[in-house]
Amino acid sequence: AQSVTQLGSHVSVSEGALVLLRCNYSSSVPPYLFWYVQYPNQGLQLLLKYTTGATLVKGINGFEAEFKKSETSFHLTKPSAHMSDAAEYFCAVSDFPGGYGNKLVFGAGTILRVKS
Amino acid sequence: KAGVTQTPRYLIKTRGQQVTLSCSPISGHRSVSWYQQTPGQGLQFLFEYFSETQRNKGNFPGRFSGRQFSNSRSEMNVSTLELGDSALYLCASSLSQGLPGNTIYFGEGSWLTVV
């Protein structure tokens, strides 16, 4: 079964500093990986996804993630944090029993705090 | 283009009651999934519907059920509510079911409090 581990339930950075949110996955098949962001009292918004092809994926709001098969990682980065980036971030992997479907398995989430 | 719409946004129910939550997917999307989000268990998959048929199911008791209508709108029902059912229930829609890498769009969620 697919699973996701997010290292660090809380990450704190200063405004303008690098954001690095860690995600490791376990998958018995080539993984499809996602990063979502959740602002307080809202649903999930897709930041980016990796399916196949280029291992460096660019998303919205200046975020990007790199798929590293050898490390089973899909870490999320942003060169310069902004106050508006403060939110909870979820890494997810597709789990498709039977070879099809849209089920996602989520990590526990990382709350990003941005200090001024 | 309207996003995934969930109603109601907030509701309070008493233990033992039942509740029905509604979800309208993005126009043209035929796959609808439901997730439960709690502080203790995080985001957990409930079930997925495609063309009015349940295609995948998570590890939840039979008190949790759902259905999908011919217009792709979906409802989920929780019977005999327990305090532990208090959660944010998220609906997600996707264009099709065939490709596991489909983009999945989430609604704002329905906040259920059981007292």
Side-chain angles (χ1 to χ4, degrees):
Chain A
Q2 272 67 283
S3 66
V4 171
T5 302
Q6 291 184 239
L7 300 175
S9 58
H10 292 77
V11 169
S12 183
V13 301
S14 297
E15 192 173 19
L18 171 71
V19 175
L20 171 60
L21 304 181
R22 300 178 187 274
C23 172
N24 288 88
Y25 68 89
S26 172
S27 177
S28 56
V29 296
Y32 297 90
L33 297 159
F34 305 77
W35 275 100
Y36 284 87
V37 61
Q38 185 176 35
Y39 298 100
N41 299 319
Q42 293 189 24
L44 301 175
Q45 180 182 8
L46 180 69
L47 284 174
L48 49 82
K49 70 174 183 179
Y50 169 79
T51 53
T52 58
T55 57
L56 182 62
V57 181
K58 295 188 183 298
I60 63 171
N61 301 339
F63 285 94
E64 62 182 36
E66 186 171 10
F67 170 66
K68 291 188 176 180
K69 183 178 178 181
S70 61
E71 299 177 8
T72 61
S73 69
F74 190 57
H75 301 332
L76 182 71
T77 59
K78 182 174 180 178
S80 176
H82 191 272
M83 297 296 290
S84 60
D85 295 327
E88 189 163 17
Y89 292 79
F90 293 93
C91 181
V93 64
S94 277
D95 184 10
F96 37 102
Y100 59 88
N102 295 307
K103 175 184 175 183
L104 293 177
V105 175
F106 285 90
T110 297
I111 295 174
L112 175 65
R113 178 189 170 211
V114 182
K115 300 175 290 185
S116 59
Chain B
K1 193 173 185 179
V4 179
T5 304
Q6 293 187 242
T7 56
R9 288 294 317 279
Y10 304 91
L11 66 165
I12 300 173
K13 291 287 187 178
T14 302
R15 200 168 38 175
Q17 288 185 316
Q18 72 166 10
V19 66
T20 298
L21 308 178
S22 180
C23 173
S24 293
I26 293 171
S27 178
H29 285 196
R30 296 173 63 193
S31 169
V32 174
S33 304
W34 289 88
Y35 291 79
Q36 181 196 63
Q37 185 178 22
T38 60
Q41 300 298 317
L43 281 153
Q44 293 186 288
F45 173 80
L46 281 157
F47 28 65
E48 177 187 7
Y49 286 86
F50 183 81
S51 293
E52 302 177 64
T53 301
Q54 187 181 92
R55 301 290 184 164
N56 286 312
K57 190 177 189 303
N59 295 323
F60 280 81
R63 299 185 298 107
F64 292 81
S65 63
R67 59 178 176 170
Q68 186 180 34
F69 302 95
S70 58
N71 62 359
S72 294
R73 192 177 69 84
S74 176
E75 290 180 347
M76 68 162 283
N77 183 277
V78 187
S79 63
T80 319
L81 284 166
E82 301 176 0
L83 296 178
D85 298 332
S86 295
L88 176 65
Y89 290 89
L90 291 164
C91 174
S93 80
S94 186
L95 190 59
S96 68
Q97 193 190 33
L99 298 174
N102 273 336
T103 297
I104 301 169
Y105 299 89
F106 284 80
E108 297 282 290
S110 291
W111 286 95
L112 170 65
T113 301
V114 182
V115 298

